């Protein structure tokens, strides 16, 4: 499983570099033809990771319910985020990554509620959830790479 966490670390580092290289205005801009922006994609990765890994394991998320609701599947930006919220998202990109790896090593993920994703892939256990999460975050990193061209 070390490679799964190495991949996620790389993805999160790429997302952080994007956030570090764009202004608050650019992070909040929704380019024509897109339904979201750079900062929403970063927050969405955190929210979905917490849902796939913790919630489906019957455990509490490491972020607030408000955060989960704001960035969950099916949402879109409802207004500009502040510089303070950008800072929170940047901190959460690192802290949630480290927490998942630590909790996995501790063996706290003993139960898992089977879940069929929107692409038809069924998650049956924590290992599958961690694998799929990397795929999901990779997709959103690709979206962020596309958005970068227009902000």
């Amino acid at each position: 499983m070390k490679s799964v966490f190495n991949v996620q670390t790389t993805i999160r580092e790429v997302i952080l570099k994007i956030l570090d290289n764009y202004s608050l205005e650019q992070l909040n801009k929704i380019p024509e033809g897109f339904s979201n922006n750079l900062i929403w994609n970063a927050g969405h990765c955190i929210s979905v990771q917490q849902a796939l890994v913790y919630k489906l394991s019957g455990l509490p998320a490491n972020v607030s319910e408000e955060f989960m609701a704001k960035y969950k599947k099916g949402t879109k930006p409802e207004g500009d985020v502040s510089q303070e919220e950008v800072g929170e998202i940047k901190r959460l990109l690192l802290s949630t990554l480290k927490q998942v790896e630590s909790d996995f090593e501790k063996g706290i993920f003993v139960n898992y509620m089977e879940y069929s994703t929107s692409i038809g892939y069924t998650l049956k256990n924590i290992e599958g959830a961690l694998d799929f999460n990397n795929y999901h975050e990779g997709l959103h990193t690709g979206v962020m790479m596309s958005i970068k061209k227009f902000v």
Side-chain angles (χ1 to χ4, degrees), residues 14 17 33 62 72-73 76-77 84 88 106 137 150:
V14 168
K17 282 181 190 168
N62 294 296
K72 71 181 180 180
K73 179 182 173 185
K76 60 183 181 179
E84 180 180 63
E88 176 189 14
K106 291 176 190 169
E137 290 193 14
F150 300 100

Side-chain angles (χ1 to χ4, degrees), residues 22-41 77 79-81 86 143-144 146-151:
Y22 289 86
S23 69
L24 182 60
E25 182 181 341
Q26 290 172 310
L27 294 176
N28 279 300
K29 182 177 181 180
I30 301 172
E32 189 175 329
F34 290 85
S35 59
N36 51 53
N37 54 32
L38 292 171
I39 197 63
W40 180 89
N41 277 279
D80 288 352
V81 302
V86 171
V143 170
M144 292 174 80
S146 294
I147 290 173
K148 282 177 19 174
K149 298 173 187 173
F150 300 100
V151 298

Side-chain angles (χ1 to χ4, degrees), residues 4-16 97 141:
V4 170
F5 293 114
N6 289 340
V7 169
Q8 189 172 34
T9 298
T10 301
I11 293 168
R12 294 283 178 101
E13 287 171 350
V14 168
I15 293 171
L16 281 166
L97 169 66
T141 302

Side-chain angles (χ1 to χ4, degrees), residues 42-60:
H44 176 70
C45 286
I46 295 164
S47 178
V48 169
Q49 177 220 43
Q50 293 293 298
L52 292 176
V53 174
Y54 288 93
K55 294 289 194 171
L56 290 173
S57 294
L59 299 168

Side-chain angles (χ1 to χ4, degrees), residues 92-104:
L92 288 171
L93 282 166
L94 293 174
S95 67
T96 56
L97 169 66
K98 291 175 184 169
Q99 191 65 54
V100 168
E101 186 169 10
S102 173
D103 288 342
F104 183 82

